[in-house]
């Protein structure tokens, strides 16, 4: 059997339908995985080959595989949404494919073409389509989170680009990223750590960036915060992003500002979509540097009326408080600001097929 050019080897022990139903009723985020995974192999001599969908299970890696030592690895985050008629769609996957190639170039990994990237999502979702949740109501954001990733698998301890690479996609049914659903989250302002520096890997979606954010994330948790915000590494002045999400500042005069893509910030697909939806809604989007002082002063004067984070996993999540050693500033009160709520609804309505896809952002998976 073959789907989108992928050989399909079905699992001999798929999850029992009742167990799957129980999981889908309360999936959380990233805790449960479907019955299959997609895989494509790359070697320096033969390029990409052996596309398959096979049973989900542990990988066999040589202990000397270079990913385990030098972190030559990249990943993506994509969601599959079930529409009311039962069909399954994804959102702007060609943007993820392009970003995956940009990340690959930075990490000296081979580039995967858009057709194979989207084909891998289609082949896996076709096989595990029963794992795509049906949201019980418009308020519920359940989807199948797809995690494409690429690792350097050559057995070699010298530091150079691997001559053997494996690309996989795994899938995990998902509800809201933050426990307790959509409610304002608190942000710890990191002053001991930076996430990325000019010329580094900040714009690439590589595991190393996330590993580097964890000590700061631990610090955030010690201070009772959900997430950490990073400033730029040169002046410690410019707001960059959270550990895994981009930031937006809503001004009361209709401007909506997000930090410019300076090479140290991840080029979020949700970030880009919010900029477009904000413009459609008559707001004035600005991509520019925004300093931590402008954040503080804007909240104090009331110029900034709300702050939110966005990403594939987090969708749009209001920022309740900014916390550091010396301060605790309320950024967005109550259950979140009106602009963030409205943009979030527009985004979800589009993704779940409840509004017209004016920008041609949806791709059918199954
Ligand atoms: C995503 O939003 O898809 C990410 O990869 C970020 C991570 C925090 C889950």
């Amino acid at each position: 059997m073959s789907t989108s050019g992928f050989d399909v080897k079905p699992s001999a022990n798929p999850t029992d339908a009742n167990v799957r139903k129980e999981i889908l009723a309360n999936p959380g985020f990233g805790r449960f995985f479907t019955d299959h995974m997609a895989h494509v192999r790359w070697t320096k001599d033969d390029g990409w080959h052996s596309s398959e969908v096979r049973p989900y299970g542990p990988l066999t890696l040589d202990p000397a595989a270079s990913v385990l030592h030098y972190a030559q690895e990249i990943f993506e985050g994509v969601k599959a949404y079930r529409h009311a008629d039962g069909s399954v769609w994804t959102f702007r996957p060609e943007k993820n494919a392009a970003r995956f190639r940009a990340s690959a170039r930075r990490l000296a990994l081979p580039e995967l073409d858009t057709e194979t990237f989207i084909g891998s999502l289609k082949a896996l979702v076709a096989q595990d389509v029963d794992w795509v949740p049906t949201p019980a109501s418009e308020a519920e954001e359940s989807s199948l989170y797809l995690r494409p990733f690429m690792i350097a698998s050559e057995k070699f301890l010298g530091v150079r680009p691997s001559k053997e690479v494996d690309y996989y996609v795994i899938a995990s049914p998902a509800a809201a990223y933050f426990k307790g659903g959509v409610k304002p989250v608190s942000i710890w302002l990191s002053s001991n750590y930076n996430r990325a520096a000019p010329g580094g890997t900040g714009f690439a979606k590589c595991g190393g960036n996330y590993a580097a954010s964890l000590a700061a994330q631990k610090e955030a948790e010690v201070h009772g915060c959900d997430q950490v915000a990073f400033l730029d590494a040169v002046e410690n002045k410019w707001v960059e992003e959270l550990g895994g999400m981009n930031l937006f500042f809503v001004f009361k005069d209709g401007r909506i500002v997000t930090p410019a893509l300076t090479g140290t910030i991840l080029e979020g697909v949700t970030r880009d979509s919010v900029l477009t939806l904000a413009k459609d809604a008559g707001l004035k989007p600005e991509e520019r540097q925004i300093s931590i002082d402008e954040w503080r002063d804007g909240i104090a004067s009331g110029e900034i009326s709300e702050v939110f984070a966005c990403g594939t996993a987090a969708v749009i999540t209001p920022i309740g408080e900014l916390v550091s050693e010396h301060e605790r500033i309320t950024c967005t009160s109550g259950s979140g600001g009106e602009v963030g709520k409205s943009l979030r609804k527009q985004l979800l309505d589009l993704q779940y097929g409840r509004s017209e896809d004016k920008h041609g952002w949806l791709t059918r998976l199954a």
Side-chain angles (χ1 to χ4, degrees):
M1 201 164 70
S2 163
T3 312
S4 303
F6 281 67
D7 277 346
V8 180
K9 298 170 184 144
S11 165
N13 302 300
T15 308
D16 178 79
N18 287 325
V19 174
R20 188 179 61 232
K21 216 169 137 192
E22 240 171 73
I23 293 172
L24 293 186
N26 185 19
F29 184 87
R31 292 188 299 139
F32 301 99
F33 295 89
T34 66
D35 293 311
H36 297 87
M37 57 191 191
H39 173 223
V40 191
R41 174 114 180 111
W42 180 90
T43 54
K44 196 166 190 314
D45 290 340
D46 297 329
W48 290 108
H49 57 275
S50 310
S51 314
E52 60 176 4
V53 169
R54 67 178 204 224
Y56 182 93
L59 307 179
T60 303
L61 272 184
D62 194 281
S66 33
V67 64
L68 301 176
H69 303 271
Y70 311 125
Q72 202 190 357
E73 185 269 358
I74 56 173
F75 68 96
E76 272 302 321
V78 183
K79 278 175 171 173
Y81 308 91
R82 194 179 287 283
H83 288 189
D85 65 359
S87 58
V88 177
W89 300 73
T90 192
F91 186 71
R92 311 187 76 185
E94 57 293 327
K95 292 280 280 181
N96 294 89
R99 186 172 67 186
F100 200 50
R101 279 198 298 279
S103 301
R105 285 193 292 276
R106 181 63 184 84
L107 272 288
L109 283 161
E111 295 182 37
L112 189 72
D113 62 86
T114 299
E115 199 187 333
T116 310
F117 182 87
I118 297 179
S120 68
L121 309 181
K122 283 188 176 163
L124 179 59
V125 169
Q127 191 61 23
D128 282 339
V129 70
D130 293 339
W131 283 91
V132 185
T134 303
S137 70
E138 285 192 14
E140 193 187 281
E141 55 165 271
S142 54
S143 61
L144 185 65
Y145 184 79
L146 303 168
R147 173 52 64 87
F149 63 102
M150 196 191 287
I151 57 170
S153 47
E154 185 186 350
K155 172 186 176 182
F156 179 65
L157 288 185
V159 182
R160 58 142 172 81
S162 180
K163 293 179 184 168
E164 293 173 33
V165 167
D166 288 278
Y167 164 75
Y168 297 92
V169 190
I170 54 174
S172 175
Y177 182 71
F178 291 103
K179 267 195 221 114
V182 192
K183 56 176 174 40
V185 293
S186 51
I187 300 297
W188 172 249
L189 180 65
S190 179
S191 50
N192 289 324
Y193 302 100
N194 296 104
R195 175 186 168 275
T201 58
F203 69 89
K205 202 161 173 71
C206 63
N209 289 341
Y210 294 76
S213 77
L214 294 177
Q217 177 67 26
K218 264 171 76 176
E219 220 179 57
E221 281 158 24
V222 167
H223 292 87
C225 294
D226 301 291
Q227 274 280 314
V228 56
F230 291 98
L231 299 180
D232 78 289
V234 178
E235 297 180 76
N236 262 311
K237 167 178 178 180
W238 306 107
V239 179
E240 299 231 300
E241 62 173 274
L242 305 187
M245 287 150 224
N246 295 117
L247 276 168
F248 275 88
F249 300 85
V250 180
F251 286 68
K252 72 168 193 251
D253 62 6
R255 284 176 295 147
I256 175 164
V257 178
T258 193
L261 301 173
T262 50
T264 52
I265 294 177
L266 194 79
E267 196 174 336
V269 177
T270 311
R271 173 190 179 280
D272 185 75
S273 309
V274 165
L275 286 169
T276 303
L277 293 177
K279 193 159 180 259
D280 291 352
L283 296 166
K284 285 173 258 159
E286 288 180 9
E287 294 178 79
R288 63 166 170 85
Q289 286 188 304
I290 177 161
S291 69
I292 185 65
D293 287 340
E294 187 178 356
W295 182 348
R296 285 190 183 111
D297 295 347
I299 296 289
S301 68
E303 284 292 302
I304 296 178
S305 50
E306 46 184 292
V307 185
F308 62 80
C310 71
T312 300
V315 194
I316 288 179
T317 300
I319 304 296
E321 278 186 324
L322 176 68
V323 183
S324 71
E325 295 286 357
H326 324 287
E327 66 202 335
R328 183 170 281 272
I329 302 172
T330 301
C331 300
T332 312
S333 47
S335 61
E338 289 314 311
V339 173
K341 273 188 193 164
S342 161
L343 288 168
R344 182 186 152 78
K345 182 172 169 4
Q346 285 175 53
L347 195 59
L348 290 174
D349 280 349
L350 231 165
Q351 290 168 334
Y352 285 95
R354 298 189 290 255
S355 65
E356 192 196 339
D357 179 18
K358 278 192 271 189
H359 298 284
W361 282 345
L362 299 187
T363 292
R364 187 163 182 175
L365 291 179

